[in-house]
Amino acid sequence: MYCICAHISAFFFLYHHSSISFSYKSELERHRRIHTGEKPCSCSTFHVRIHTGEKPFACKTCERTFRLSGQLKAHVRTHTGEKPYSCNVCGKRFIQMSALITHKRIHTDEKPFTCETCGKSFRHSSDLTVHMRIHTGEKPYTCKTCGRSFRHSSEMTSHMRRAHTDEKPYSCNTCGKRFNQKSVLKAHTRIHTGEKPFTCETCGESFKWKSTLRLHMRMHTGEKTFTCKTCGNDFGLNSDLTRHIRRAHTGEKPYLCKICGERCFDASHLAKHISLHPELEKTPEDQFTQEKTST
């Protein structure tokens, strides 16, 4: 396998297997091992520190210690703000060369880490490691409070905040509402910005949340994943199934008009009902109560 192009004089290296370019030969060699599985080094002095726990390199600012001098050097940049590596496509800068190499895969769409079980590919080796746990069933992160296990450390952190600590470290700069996950905060901010990043490829309609787009797509595909256990009718939305059960089977009307006592199957019908009371200045949420009942 020829891994270096003929025009080596320009200090430009090309890996022919994936047509990915590198500025340094060392980067090419490191990348090539992803495909070959080659591990050229035996248990070196540096590697031994994994077993011994030795971390001889200490940060003078925060006293954090590291196994390798290169790790310390990269860490120091978190204090200085130095980001010497920049992307030649979008200009984004990084503290480490490895972070830049990983970032470039966004532009090239390179996914060199492939699951041998299902064939799915990933940009990061860590993503493949987590994905493999779907097949193996491994859940190495265990909640010390309730014993529940998780595939990823972030899943356990989110669980701890939701189920046990009620910690909400992420707050909205606009309204002050707090959240236990950064991703939930990011989705929430779209209420204020009006951003709709998820677009239907069939009709072009856009949505604030991916879950809403997923539900919308069922209009086009005809998919109906929610089935009534009583009569067997299928529905595209869980809310449609709930409405059906109330109307056809249970007769439950959990939405109560505070003005006249009329009960409705759902919020939309209550809102229409409230419009029959035009003599009052009100908002729908001021004039109805949803009683907590099971369906």
Side-chain angles (χ1 to χ4, degrees):
M1 179 183 291
Y2 295 93
C3 294
I4 307 174
C5 70
H7 306 288
I8 197 171
S9 60
F11 300 98
F12 188 80
F13 300 91
L14 179 68
Y15 183 48
H16 85 89
H17 181 75
S18 57
S19 298
I20 304 300
S21 300
F22 302 87
S23 300
Y24 303 96
K25 187 176 180 180
S26 60
E27 293 174 13
L28 169 63
E29 291 300 321
R30 186 162 52 248
H31 170 84
R32 186 172 59 82
R33 292 175 193 140
I34 293 172
H35 303 291
T36 65
E38 179 187 3
K39 297 181 179 179
C41 301
S42 60
C43 195
S44 64
T45 302
F46 308 117
H47 175 80
V48 167
R49 290 175 185 152
I50 295 175
H51 304 297
T52 64
E54 181 189 7
K55 296 181 179 181
F57 302 98
C59 174
K60 294 180 180 179
T61 304
C62 67
E63 298 184 354
R64 185 177 173 183
T65 56
F66 301 88
R67 282 192 290 268
L68 305 177
S69 60
Q71 292 174 337
L72 171 60
K73 187 176 180 181
H75 166 77
V76 168
R77 292 176 185 143
T78 63
H79 299 299
T80 64
E82 180 190 8
K83 295 182 178 180
Y85 306 102
S86 65
C87 175
N88 57 5
V89 178
C90 67
K92 188 173 182 179
R93 303 189 69 86
F94 299 88
I95 290 173
Q96 294 178 277
M97 172 63 79
S98 59
L100 172 60
I101 292 173
T102 299
H103 163 79
K104 283 187 174 181
R105 292 175 187 148
I106 295 174
H107 304 300
T108 63
D109 201 33
E110 181 197 11
K111 294 180 179 180
F113 305 99
T114 302
C115 174
E116 295 181 355
T117 304
C118 67
K120 190 173 182 179
S121 296
F122 302 87
R123 292 192 184 97
H124 314 289
S125 61
S126 58
D127 291 340
L128 173 59
T129 299
V130 173
H131 166 81
M132 286 301 298
R133 293 172 186 153
I134 295 174
H135 302 299
T136 63
E138 181 191 9
K139 295 182 178 181
Y141 302 96
T142 303
C143 174
K144 294 180 180 179
T145 304
C146 66
R148 186 177 173 183
S149 297
F150 302 88
R151 284 193 290 264
H152 200 283
S153 60
S154 61
E155 292 177 346
M156 185 180 73
T157 300
S158 297
H159 161 78
M160 287 292 296
R161 290 170 178 164
R162 287 194 307 269
H164 305 302
T165 66
D166 199 33
E167 179 190 6
K168 295 180 179 180
Y170 306 103
S171 63
C172 175
N173 292 332
T174 305
C175 67
K177 190 172 182 179
R178 303 189 69 86
F179 302 89
N180 53 33
Q181 296 181 67
K182 191 174 183 179
S183 59
V184 179
L185 169 61
K186 185 177 181 181
H188 163 81
T189 57
R190 295 178 191 136
I191 295 174
H192 305 299
T193 64
E195 180 191 8
K196 295 182 178 181
F198 303 101
T199 302
C200 174
E201 295 181 356
T202 304
C203 68
E205 188 174 355
S206 295
F207 303 89
K208 292 185 179 75
W209 300 289
K210 191 173 184 178
S211 58
T212 311
L213 170 60
R214 214 164 26 233
L215 294 175
H216 165 82
M217 287 302 297
R218 291 175 183 160
M219 293 173 52
H220 301 299
T221 64
E223 179 187 7
K224 295 182 178 181
T225 57
F226 301 97
T227 302
C228 177
K229 294 179 180 179
T230 304
C231 66
N233 281 347
D234 295 322
F235 300 88
L237 302 177
N238 188 42
S239 58
D240 291 341
L241 170 61
T242 300
R243 189 181 301 112
H244 160 78
I245 291 173
R246 289 170 180 165
R247 287 177 173 173
H249 305 301
T250 66
E252 180 193 7
K253 296 181 178 181
Y255 294 87
L256 174 67
C257 175
K258 291 182 178 179
I259 302 169
C260 67
E262 179 78 14
R263 290 181 175 274
C264 301
F265 291 109
D266 54 42
S268 62
H269 282 80
L270 178 60
K272 291 178 182 178
H273 165 80
I274 288 175
S275 67
L276 300 176
H277 300 287
E279 70 280 2
L280 298 177
E281 292 184 5
K282 57 194 171 295
T283 58
E285 60 268 24
D286 292 331
Q287 303 300 338
F288 76 80
T289 300
Q290 180 186 5
E291 298 177 347
K292 299 295 183 180
T293 58
S294 59
T295 57

